[in-house]
Amino acid sequence: QLRLVESGGGSVQPGGSLRLTCMVSERNLDGYGLGWFRQAPGKRREGVSCMRLSDGYTYYADSVKGRFTISRDNAKNTVVLQMNSLTPDDTGVYFCAASPPATSQSMCLIPALLDTWGQGTSVTVSS
């Protein structure tokens, strides 16, 4: 069974950076998508950035474009979210998720379709 474990959350001041890492338990994920989602208090879970492993296609939410970068480290079997220029609006619990091939392209837009999630890591941006 595919398992995901996030790490790297914490508290930073506005303008700061954090690097989130998602450890993936399996390597044979042909056609899968891996992505990052977040949920702020009182708000629904939203897709932040996702990657389709077959061709490296990436998606970024408008609110994070130019500030966040998703990447995969094949040697370590992780997916990383580098977050720069953080603002208080980036505060929330960040989750890693995996999507089978059928939904890998749209996974960031329809998180309700996904059933493989990590436990989440908390990010707080505050002065």
Side-chain angles (χ1 to χ4, degrees):
Q1 183 178 359
L2 178 62
R3 291 182 294 111
L4 308 171
V5 180
E6 304 95 334
S7 62
S11 296
V12 294
Q13 293 185 341
S17 298
L18 282 173
R19 183 179 176 90
L20 305 183
T21 299
C22 175
M23 293 287 295
V24 183
S25 64
E26 297 182 14
R27 290 187 177 273
N28 184 15
L29 297 176
D30 291 345
Y32 268 65
L34 294 171
W36 288 94
F37 298 75
R38 68 186 179 192
Q39 189 163 16
K43 295 187 177 180
R44 65 178 182 178
R45 193 170 299 186
E46 63 174 349
V48 174
S49 181
C50 297
M51 171 184 286
R52 187 169 61 200
L53 301 183
S54 60
D55 59 4
Y57 166 83
T58 57
Y59 165 90
Y60 293 94
D62 288 342
S63 60
V64 307
K65 284 181 180 177
R67 301 188 298 122
F68 291 11
T69 302
I70 190 171
S71 61
R72 189 184 185 199
D73 187 326
N74 289 322
K76 297 180 180 179
N77 208 30
T78 61
V79 60
V80 173
L81 185 68
Q82 178 67 43
M83 307 188 296
N84 299 326
S85 302
L86 287 162
T87 74
D89 288 341
D90 296 315
T91 294
V93 179
Y94 283 69
F95 299 88
C96 180
S99 167
T103 53
S104 62
Q105 185 167 351
S106 59
M107 65 179 294
C108 252
L109 301 178
I110 318 175
L113 294 179
L114 307 178
D115 57 12
T116 304
W117 295 88
Q119 82 287 352
T121 186
S122 182
V123 172
T124 301
V125 185
S126 174
S127 56

